[in-house]
Amino acid sequence: MAALIKALLEPLWDRLLRGTPRKEDAVPRPSGIGLALGGGFARGFAHLGVLRVLEAEGVPIACIAGTSVGSILGAAYASGVPLDRIIAVCREVRLKDFSRWSISRMGLASNERMGELIRKWFRALRFEQMRTPLAVVATDLGTGEPYVFRTGEVVDAVRASCAFPGLFQPVMYEGRCLADGGLVAPVPTQAASAMGASFVVGVNVGFNNWNGSVPKNVFQVVARSINAAQKHHERDWERFADLLIEPDVHSVEWDSFHRAEEIIRAGEAAARRAMPRLRDMLRGERRHSLNTTSRNRWTETPASP
C-alpha cells in the first residue's frame, strides 16, 4: 500500500517542486520542412529539380536527410554549394569520376574517388559546419540496422551511404562495416523526422517500373535484384512522410548519368505538382501530430500521359 501511495503522490510532489512545465519551455521545432532524399544513383539527379522548385517558391528547408545519391547531393546543398553549381557538376559527372576498379572479396570497386570529389567542391566537410542540419544514413552490415551520421566527417558518411553492395566495397568506420543506406532506408524519412522538422517531405526516385527490359550489366542486375526484394516488402518509411514526391524517372537505369537534364526536369515537374499541397502544409493546415506513430500522408503521383 505504501508503494502504491508513493507512486500516486510522487509525480504530484515533483510537479509542486519543479513547477508545471510551461509551453514556452518546450524545445522549438526547426522552421521549415525536413527533406528526405532517397537513393537511386543517376535517378537521384531528380532531387536537383525538386530543390530548384523549392528554392524558386521560397520553401524553407529546416534539415536534410540523405541516402546514397541523396546523401551526396543533400550534403553538397547543406554545405552551401549553390544549386546551379551542383547541377553543373552533375551534368558532367560519370561513374568513373567517383569509383576506381579495385577488385577484392568485398566488391568490384572502391568509391574513394567520391571522397576526392567531395573535398574538392563541398563548402563544409563536417556535419557541425553544415549551413543546413544534415543526416546521412548507411546500413550496418554487422547488425542489419540503419546507421545515422549526424556528427564528424561528411566524407566518411557519404562514402558509406553510397557503397552499393556488389559494386562498391563497404566502408569501415569505427569498427563497423557500412554499406548503401538504401538497403534499409530507401528514402530516409525517419531520419528527417527524428531531426524535428514540422513536416517531412520525402523524394523517392529509386523503384523500377518493371517494363520487361533486360539488364545490361552487373550493376543493373544487382540494382534490380534489390528493387525486387524491396518491392515485396512493406514500405515502412512512408509513414514518416507528410508529403511524398515521386518523379517519373522509373524507366531510367541507375547508371544513366548522361540523362541528367531529362532527370532534373522530371524532378522539377513532380515538385511543381506537389506545390499546392506543400503550400497547404506550410500555411498550417496540419493533418498530423508528430507525437503519433502514424502520419497522414499526401502522395504526389506523376501526371497521366
Side-chain angles (χ1 to χ4, degrees):
M1 178 64 71
L4 176 62
I5 293 173
K6 181 181 179 182
L8 292 172
L9 293 181
E10 201 169 57
L12 176 61
W13 180 247
D14 187 65
R15 191 184 308 165
L16 289 172
L17 286 176
R18 299 187 184 187
T20 302
R22 298 174 302 171
K23 185 176 181 180
E24 57 268 30
D25 291 334
V27 177
R29 295 194 182 104
S31 175
I33 65 169
L35 194 58
L37 304 179
F41 273 82
R43 295 177 184 176
F45 292 154
H47 296 321
L48 303 175
V50 173
L51 284 167
R52 180 181 274 172
V53 172
L54 296 181
E55 272 197 1
E57 296 287 341
V59 175
I61 299 175
C63 56
I64 298 174
T67 284
S68 196
V69 67
S71 75
I72 190 169
L73 298 178
Y77 190 76
S79 78
V81 180
L83 185 56
D84 286 346
R85 171 62 178 155
I86 300 174
I87 291 173
V89 171
C90 289
R91 286 187 181 120
E92 303 299 326
V93 76
R94 296 294 183 267
L95 185 61
K96 63 179 177 60
D97 295 316
F98 51 82
S99 64
R100 178 182 288 112
W101 295 113
S102 177
I103 298 175
S104 77
R105 291 177 298 174
M106 305 294 278
L108 299 176
S110 165
N111 67 4
E112 290 179 358
R113 282 183 177 169
M114 183 178 294
E116 298 169 11
L117 194 66
I118 291 170
R119 293 185 184 94
K120 180 178 179 181
W121 59 284
F122 277 27
R123 289 192 170 180
L125 294 175
R126 293 188 60 84
F127 282 86
E128 297 84 353
Q129 299 168 340
M130 291 286 150
R131 289 178 58 179
T132 302
L134 174 71
V136 169
V137 182
T139 299
D140 187 334
L141 294 182
T143 65
E145 298 296 325
Y147 185 83
V148 182
F149 290 85
R150 289 290 311 278
T151 61
E153 296 289 336
V154 172
V155 170
D156 297 329
V158 172
R159 284 190 57 227
S161 187
C162 294
F164 194 80
L167 176 66
F168 292 125
Q169 298 153 9
V171 172
M172 299 302 299
Y173 179 79
E174 295 186 348
R176 299 174 184 269
C177 183
L178 302 177
D180 198 296
L183 300 173
V184 290
V187 184
T189 53
Q190 188 170 2
S193 179
M195 295 172 80
S198 297
F199 303 101
V200 173
V201 176
V203 185
N204 174 31
V205 298
F207 294 94
N208 201 291
N209 68 347
W210 308 107
N211 59 8
S213 63
V214 176
K216 298 178 178 62
N217 53 51
V218 66
F219 184 38
Q220 293 180 8
V221 168
V222 176
R224 291 199 193 185
S225 298
I226 292 172
N227 256 195
Q230 293 173 336
K231 177 183 177 183
H232 295 284
H233 289 80
E234 181 182 358
R235 302 203 310 185
D236 186 62
W237 52 268
E238 288 190 17
R239 68 188 180 94
F240 293 94
D242 301 292
L243 174 64
L244 183 59
I245 299 175
E246 298 190 287
D248 187 11
V249 293
H250 303 101
S251 64
V252 177
E253 291 293 352
W254 288 28
D255 53 351
S256 298
F257 295 96
H258 61 284
R259 298 174 65 180
E261 287 293 343
E262 171 190 349
I263 300 168
I264 292 169
R265 286 196 299 270
E268 288 185 80
R272 289 194 192 98
R273 291 192 296 270
M275 277 309 304
R277 295 166 183 173
L278 185 51
R279 290 191 194 100
D280 286 345
M281 290 196 304
L282 293 174
R283 279 197 293 262
E285 297 177 10
R286 307 212 299 179
R287 304 184 183 184
H288 72 278
S289 168
L290 288 175
N291 296 320
T292 63
T293 58
S294 179
R295 305 168 76 120
N296 294 315
R297 181 175 57 80
W298 280 316
T299 302
E300 184 285 320
T301 54
S304 301

